[in-house]
């Protein structure tokens, strides 16, 4: 053996990524985008950075999403799908309509300052002024799902005699406007409107405007 040779063989070089290697599933891409927003905010989410995170080129990502607007909207739809599953479980579990309403509000209101789902929502709303008809329809579908679930809770409470005989659709519209306004304040950190304070305001609104008085 040549005494000048190294005692241990050199480690083999990593194999280059094959061009035909399967791309990550779309859900993995969207989950990675959401993780990036949670960790570094929207400014930290770039096509190039996301590509490095999942082992794809930014060009390949553009093939999937075409534009960053489309990436943001699809990420929002993915996140909304997860929240929708929470709402479905909420609506199907036993209990009173008031308990379901409290659960709905709990899911709706952001967890706190810079809640990634709400920060993403705000960005998509901001970009929607230049969105095409398809993107607007998809955003409306998200809003419609929240609205229908709240109408169902209110209608159940009215039929059971838990709530005053309000028009469920009209009351849901006003309630969601209240929740949206407060939720924006929580997400951007307006002083005096933390999550717990907002939940207290909403409880007071429900008690004054919806619950039957003895």
């Amino acid at each position: 053996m040549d005494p000048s040779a190294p005692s241990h063989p050199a480690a083999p070089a990593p194999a280059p990524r094959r061009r035909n290697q399967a791309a990550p599933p779309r859900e993995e891409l969207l989950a990675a985008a959401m993780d990036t927003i949670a960790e570094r905010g929207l400014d930290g989410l770039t096509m190039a950075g996301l590509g490095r995170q999942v082992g794809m080129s930014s060009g390949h990502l553009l093939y999937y999403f075409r534009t960053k607007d489309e990436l943001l909207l699809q990420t929002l739809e993915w996140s909304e799908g997860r929240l929708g599953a929470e709402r479905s479980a909420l609506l199907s579990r036993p209990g009173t309509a008031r308990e379901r309403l409290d659960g709905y509000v709990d899911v709706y209101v952001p967890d706190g300052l810079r809640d990634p789902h709400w920060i993403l929502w705000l960005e998509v709303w901001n970009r929607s002024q230049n969105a095409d008809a398809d993107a607007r329809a998809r955003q409306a579908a998200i809003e419609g799902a929240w609205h229908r679930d709240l109408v169902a809770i209110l209608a159940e409470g009215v039929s059971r005699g838990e709530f005053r005989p309000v028009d469920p659709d009209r009351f849901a519209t006003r309630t969601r406007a209240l929740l949206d306004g407060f939720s924006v304040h929580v997400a951007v950190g307006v002083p005096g409107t933390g999550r717990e304070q907002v939940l207290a305001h909403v409880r007071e609104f429900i008690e004054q405007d919806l619950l039957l008085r003895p």
Side-chain angles (χ1 to χ4, degrees):
M1 176 183 295
D2 184 350
S4 64
S7 57
H8 299 286
R17 184 180 179 88
R18 295 171 54 189
R19 290 183 179 274
N20 63 349
Q21 184 172 341
R26 184 178 298 268
E27 183 165 337
E28 182 180 336
L29 298 176
L30 300 176
M34 200 68 191
D35 288 344
T36 299
I37 294 170
E39 293 170 7
R40 300 196 292 275
L42 279 166
D43 289 343
L45 179 62
T46 64
M47 288 294 196
L50 181 61
R52 286 192 297 271
Q53 187 174 345
V54 298
M56 291 174 63
S57 69
S58 55
H60 200 164
L61 285 174
L62 286 171
Y63 174 79
Y64 269 94
F65 302 110
R66 302 192 309 277
T67 65
K68 187 173 181 179
D69 283 5
E70 179 63 20
L71 169 63
L72 293 175
L73 181 52
Q74 286 197 32
T75 304
L76 179 63
E77 290 173 324
W78 174 81
S79 180
E80 282 287 343
R82 300 175 73 187
L83 288 177
E86 287 188 50
R87 294 200 313 275
S88 296
L90 174 73
L91 289 170
S92 62
R93 71 189 184 192
T96 66
R98 173 63 192 277
E99 289 169 341
R100 275 191 273 280
L101 179 56
D102 287 343
Y104 176 98
V105 171
D106 186 64
V107 172
Y108 203 110
V109 175
D111 289 336
L113 177 64
R114 291 187 291 274
D115 178 292
H117 178 83
W118 266 91
I119 292 301
L120 178 57
W121 233 139
L122 292 172
E123 182 66 12
V124 171
W125 276 342
N126 184 53
R127 292 170 180 246
S128 66
Q129 57 189 322
N130 299 315
D132 60 22
D134 174 69
R136 286 180 176 273
R138 288 157 64 191
Q139 289 174 247
I142 294 172
E143 293 284 353
W146 282 98
H147 186 78
R148 287 190 299 274
D149 285 348
L150 181 53
V151 169
I153 294 170
L154 295 172
E156 177 191 7
V158 171
S159 67
R160 288 184 172 186
E162 293 182 45
F163 301 155
R164 292 193 304 107
V166 299
D167 180 317
D169 185 72
R170 288 174 58 83
F171 197 89
T173 298
R174 291 195 292 270
T175 301
R176 289 189 57 244
L178 176 76
L179 291 171
D180 282 343
F182 273 134
S183 293
V184 170
H185 286 194
V186 174
V188 302
V190 173
T193 53
R195 176 178 166 85
E196 292 308 316
Q197 291 163 303
V198 163
L199 292 177
H201 280 300
V202 176
R203 283 193 297 269
E204 182 179 347
F205 165 73
I206 290 171
E207 288 165 4
Q208 291 180 347
D209 288 55
L210 186 62
L211 297 186
L212 288 169
R213 292 178 175 82

